Amino acid sequence: MKKWQSHLFLKEKLIKIGTKFHKKYFRLFPFEEDFGIIVALKGLGCVARRLIRQRRINMGNANMKDEKEATKQQNRNISRREFIGGTVATVAAFTIVPRHVLGGPRHIPPSEKLNIACIGVGGQGRWDIRGVSSENIVALCDVDLLRAAETFEKFPKARIYCDFRDMLEKESKNIDAVVIATPDHTHAPAAMRAMKMGKHVYVEKPMAHTIYEVRKMTNMARKKKLVTQMGNQGHAGEGLRLTYEFIHDGAIGTVREVHVWSNRPIWPQGIDRPKETPPVPGTLDWNFWLGPAPWRPYNPAYVPFNWRGWWDFGCGAMGDMAVHNSDPAFFCLDLDAPYAVEAETSPVNNETFPNWQIITYYFPAKGNRPPVKMIWYDGGKMPPRPPEMEEERELGKNGILFVGDDGKIMCDGWAGAPRIIPESKMKEYQRPEKTLPRSPGHHEEWIQACKENNPGKALAGFEYSGPFTEALLVGNLAVRLGKRIEWDSKKMRATNAPEAKKYIRKKYRKGWSL
């Protein structure tokens, strides 16, 4: 167990958990620290690859060639764990309260709690689960035990899975909704499978990895009349509503231009694929982590955090902070699909996003609104400093600037509160009355909408977030192809770039398609 020595904090937590399991289920066995860690791992339910095969847990349709490669790279010694894994999994099986016992799926009185399953519970998923923890968390799924251990400990009654396909199949009668907080490339396969089963879904931003996936998810949610929500927390905030009310009050006149920026990337980009093939950590199922992505050997350059900068796994800064920071532009100006997008970037390769990019979106006129140009900056690039801004004032690491005929409004990142610049003009401004309804909270409005089976009450649902995400991802096409994209949203195609087709709709490994 030498690999645990560098994780002393985790080791102590696992020993503590293992001690509890030992006292409850394994009192006849002598307790040792290493044994305690093994008991904790098994008690948390995420079993090793060979143990999964021996127990014949559903493997879906995963490519068996890739399965063998994963097993070779992830050579674990689990002989002492097999007994423990089977026993604790059996104990865990009795903790779920089936929904059909409580009155049937999707007909839930507000006083009754939802039964929720969660996919991806170690990173951002921890925060999303906290947001829905007022409900019954009945199943948890994660491929990385090390990252998920804290969440598993907090919900000891939840049944644990490594493969979301297996979880959804086995828990289909027990759950009402699914929270998905995996890397971008797995959002759509997990969400589509859940929605086809009639489950409400909460999916972290961005909605999906490709434009085609976003469209499919939007259409499926509409067809099934499901409650959905994309993890764009600022969309429920006061800042977004104030910005809308300021702009529609005419605070800065007609808006024709918007600048949006971020300090992303905060992960490596502009690099090639690593050549090293170190062994897979014993707590990570690499094959399941790859999911629909093309097979490649494990490397810590991808997990647990830096995956966002790789084309095969993430959407770069557009899938991260652009979702948060450009939301006020789409919401307040009622933007739809751009008719064209241009990009200026540092060198681009086929593995990772460039180190910096400036992406310009062109939106057509709509109703009484004129055409709008929106410019995105990242990687250290920033918009021109407004001449009205006070010398001591900074643009900040993340933000948005609305340029109107009669002035400018600037907001912090994550749809922060609006401020007219300069501050002297803000102090003179007579704020309008609040005209938009306020949200009870991003996760709470989704929970309420699920209980009422009312998709319209989840304000970042796919009807709004789908077209929004599609528009942002057109920018990634311009970046990757290094050319202006003339965009036909209805047909989902770049009219001047047929080579974009393979990026609009990607291929999937066997067993992971939509």
Side-chain angles (χ1 to χ4, degrees):
M1 301 296 290
K2 290 183 180 179
K3 59 189 173 184
W4 290 102
Q5 301 304 316
S6 60
H7 305 290
L8 295 179
F9 175 74
L10 175 68
K11 181 178 179 180
E12 290 176 2
K13 289 180 74 73
L14 290 176
I15 291 172
K16 183 178 179 181
I17 300 168
T19 303
K20 293 179 181 178
F21 275 102
H22 181 265
K23 288 180 179 179
K24 191 168 185 179
Y25 303 117
F26 305 105
R27 288 172 294 181
L28 297 179
F29 294 85
F31 184 81
E32 305 167 10
E33 282 194 356
D34 285 357
F35 181 71
I37 292 174
I38 293 172
V39 170
L41 296 180
K42 294 301 103 181
L44 294 172
C46 190
V47 296
R49 160 59 62 233
R50 279 177 285 172
L51 181 57
I52 290 175
R53 283 206 303 272
Q54 290 167 9
R55 290 179 60 201
R56 299 183 180 179
I57 292 178
N58 176 40
M59 297 294 295
N61 295 313
N63 187 305
M64 292 310 295
K65 179 181 178 181
D66 296 343
E67 197 77 15
K68 292 176 182 178
E69 290 297 323
T71 302
K72 288 179 182 178
Q73 198 181 6
Q74 191 159 351
N75 184 19
R76 312 176 193 175
N77 179 10
I78 59 167
S79 59
R80 194 176 180 186
R81 305 180 186 181
E82 295 177 8
F83 168 77
I84 302 168
T87 306
V88 177
T90 302
V91 174
F94 293 98
T95 64
I96 297 171
V97 181
R99 166 60 55 192
H100 67 269
V101 173
L102 301 176
R106 298 183 59 203
H107 297 282
I108 308 160
S111 59
E112 187 179 312
K113 294 185 177 183
L114 295 172
N115 281 351
I116 297 177
C118 305
I119 305 171
V121 302
Q124 177 62 27
R126 282 199 301 266
W127 299 100
D128 288 325
I129 295 173
R130 181 180 298 180
V132 300
S133 60
S134 60
E135 309 307 298
N136 295 323
I137 308 300
V138 300
L140 299 170
C141 179
D142 203 292
V143 301
D144 189 338
L145 179 61
L146 187 65
R147 296 269 285 175
E150 182 180 337
T151 304
F152 291 162
E153 182 182 5
K154 285 184 178 179
F155 299 95
K157 293 184 179 181
R159 184 164 181 175
I160 310 302
Y161 295 85
C162 290
D163 184 351
F164 68 80
R165 301 167 301 179
D166 183 43
M167 182 187 75
L168 292 175
E169 179 183 341
K170 293 185 176 181
E171 305 292 347
S172 61
K173 294 182 180 181
N174 303 320
I175 60 177
D176 307 300
V178 180
V179 173
I180 300 165
T182 62
D184 301 350
H185 69 295
T186 318
H187 286 186
M192 286 293 290
R193 190 172 289 251
M195 288 192 290
K196 286 179 180 179
M197 300 170 73
K199 310 304 177 185
H200 305 300
V201 295
Y202 177 105
V203 182
E204 258 306 329
K205 52 82 186 166
M207 251 181 74
H209 194 216
T210 69
I211 294 170
Y212 174 79
E213 289 179 336
V214 175
R215 186 72 60 89
K216 289 285 285 186
M217 290 166 64
T218 303
N219 290 341
M220 179 60 68
R222 185 183 301 136
K223 177 183 177 181
K224 293 279 192 175
K225 299 180 181 180
L226 295 168
V227 176
T228 59
Q229 189 89 308
M230 180 177 73
N232 183 11
Q233 291 77 14
H235 197 77
E238 181 70 5
L240 185 74
R241 286 151 180 77
L242 289 175
T243 303
Y244 181 97
E245 289 160 352
F246 282 21
I247 289 175
H248 286 264
D249 183 53
I252 58 173
T254 301
V255 177
R256 306 175 191 274
E257 186 172 298
V258 184
H259 299 265
V260 193
W261 64 95
S262 176
N263 66 339
R264 273 27 173 199
I266 54 175
W267 49 80
Q269 292 188 176
I271 59 177
D272 289 322
R273 186 181 299 204
K275 295 181 174 59
E276 300 82 6
T277 57
V280 181
T283 55
L284 172 69
D285 192 308
W286 176 240
N287 187 53
F288 284 166
W289 190 94
L290 280 175
W295 171 260
R296 67 172 70 194
Y298 162 80
N299 192 283
Y302 313 126
V303 293
F305 179 73
N306 294 333
W307 53 265
R308 199 180 294 278
W310 297 85
W311 290 109
D312 276 357
F313 309 130
C315 296
M318 304 313 295
D320 186 33
M321 289 309 298
V323 175
H324 294 303
N325 296 353
S326 64
D327 188 26
F330 280 80
F331 181 72
C332 299
L333 303 179
D334 195 18
L335 301 180
D336 290 317
Y339 64 84
V341 181
E342 297 171 339
E344 178 187 357
T345 74
S346 59
V348 179
N349 63 48
N350 287 325
E351 292 291 343
T352 55
F353 288 80
N355 286 323
W356 63 265
Q357 52 192 13
I358 300 174
I359 306 175
T360 303
Y361 294 81
Y362 298 93
F363 296 94
K366 183 178 182 180
N368 296 325
R369 173 181 56 72
V372 172
K373 180 169 71 171
M374 185 182 84
I375 306 100
W376 165 266
Y377 310 80
D378 67 37
K381 301 299 181 180
M382 296 287 282
R385 183 182 176 87
E388 306 96 325
M389 184 178 287
E390 298 85 349
E391 289 186 8
E392 68 277 8
R393 196 170 177 184
E394 300 293 337
L395 288 173
K397 295 180 180 179
N398 292 277
I400 182 170
L401 178 71
F402 292 89
V403 180
D405 291 346
D406 302 324
K408 298 181 177 71
I409 287 177
M410 188 168 72
C411 313
D412 289 336
W414 291 273
R419 304 297 295 180
I420 299 172
I421 54 175
E423 193 63 24
S424 59
K425 192 172 181 179
M426 180 72 214
K427 292 178 180 178
E428 296 171 358
Y429 177 57
Q430 297 295 317
R431 296 192 179 204
E433 291 186 7
K434 296 180 179 180
T435 58
L436 296 180
R438 269 43 187 177
S439 170
H442 185 62
H443 293 93
E444 182 58 32
E445 71 180 29
W446 177 69
I447 290 171
Q448 290 181 9
C450 288
K451 291 182 177 181
E452 298 174 18
N453 197 28
N454 185 349
K457 293 195 73 172
L459 301 181
F462 293 173
E463 287 293 338
Y464 171 81
S465 296
F468 173 31
T469 305
E470 285 188 27
L472 293 179
L473 294 182
V474 177
N476 280 351
L477 297 179
V479 170
R480 191 158 196 181
L481 297 176
K483 65 190 294 185
R484 177 184 172 100
I485 296 295
E486 304 287 346
W487 184 244
D488 182 341
S489 176
K490 185 176 182 180
K491 295 182 179 179
M492 264 195 306
R493 68 187 184 98
T495 58
N496 65 324
E499 65 271 30
K501 185 177 180 180
K502 63 182 178 180
Y503 303 127
I504 297 168
R505 182 178 182 179
K506 67 181 182 181
K507 293 182 179 180
Y508 302 85
R509 282 203 301 156
K510 185 178 180 181
W512 298 93
S513 64
L514 305 187

